[in-house]
Amino acid sequence: MKKIFFLLLIFPLTLFSQTHEITSLPNIFTYKGEELRTILKANQSIVKISDVEINAIIKTLDGRKEEKNKLIDKIQKSIPVDKDGKPIGKANPEFIGQYNAIVTEVSDSILELLGEKRFRQFRRLIIDDQEKKNAESVRKALEARKRKK
C-alpha cells in the first residue's frame, strides 16, 4: 500500500518537472551579429528564421552588449586577489545576478520573437555550435602539445 501511495505521489511530480524547460541561451553574447547571421543562414534547414527576425535578434543582442560588458568588468574587479594577483575569493553575487538577469531578458525577448518551437531549435543550434567550437579548441590544443614533444 505504501509503495502505491509513493508511486502516486512521485508520478505527478515527474510529470510537472518534465514540463519545465530551460529558456536561457548559453553564451549568446559570444556571437557578433554577422557571425550569428552566417550560422543561421547556413542552418536554414534546422531553424527557419527570416531576415527580419535575424535582424531583430542581432538588435536585441547589440542593445544589451554594452551593459553586459560593463557588468563583466565589475564582476572581474570584484574578485579579491592576493599580492601575487591570484584570485582568493568569489565575485560579487549581486553582479552575477545582474548578468544572469540580462541573459534571461535577452533569451525571453528571443523566445517571444520566435515562439517556443523555433526558440528550442535556435537554442539547440547555438549549443551545437558552441560544442563544435570547444571540440575544435581542444583538438588544436592537443595538436600543439604533440608538436612540443
Side-chain angles (χ1 to χ4, degrees), residues 77-99:
K77 289 177 183 175
S78 74
I79 299 172
V81 293
D82 64 9
K83 59 184 175 187
D84 296 326
K86 294 180 182 176
I88 57 171
K90 295 182 179 181
N92 185 335
E94 182 180 326
F95 295 147
I96 294 172
Q98 291 172 359
Y99 174 79

Side-chain angles (χ1 to χ4, degrees), residues 33-105:
E34 288 308 310
E35 180 186 12
L36 188 61
R37 182 184 308 280
T38 303
I39 291 167
L40 291 171
K41 289 287 188 182
N43 292 287
Q44 282 286 347
S45 63
I46 297 171
V47 184
K48 300 206 181 325
I49 299 178
S50 70
D51 287 336
V52 173
E53 291 169 327
I54 293 171
N55 291 337
I57 290 169
I58 292 170
K59 185 177 178 182
T60 301
L61 289 173
D62 288 346
R64 301 302 295 268
K65 207 168 253 188
E66 185 177 333
E67 184 181 357
K68 186 254 340 172
N69 289 338
K70 287 179 183 177
L71 269 173
I72 286 177
D73 287 341
K74 285 181 181 180
I75 289 169
Q76 290 173 343
K77 289 177 183 175
S78 74
I79 299 172
V81 293
D82 64 9
K83 59 184 175 187
D84 296 326
K86 294 180 182 176
I88 57 171
K90 295 182 179 181
N92 185 335
E94 182 180 326
F95 295 147
I96 294 172
Q98 291 172 359
Y99 174 79
N100 290 337
I102 290 173
V103 172
T104 300
E105 288 171 16

Side-chain angles (χ1 to χ4, degrees), residues 5 10 44 63 77 115 128:
F5 178 73
I10 296 299
Q44 282 286 347
K77 289 177 183 175
D128 290 346

Side-chain angles (χ1 to χ4, degrees), residues 1-12:
M1 185 69 177
K2 286 183 182 180
K3 288 180 182 179
I4 293 173
F5 178 73
F6 182 72
L7 287 174
L8 291 175
L9 180 66
I10 296 299
F11 185 70

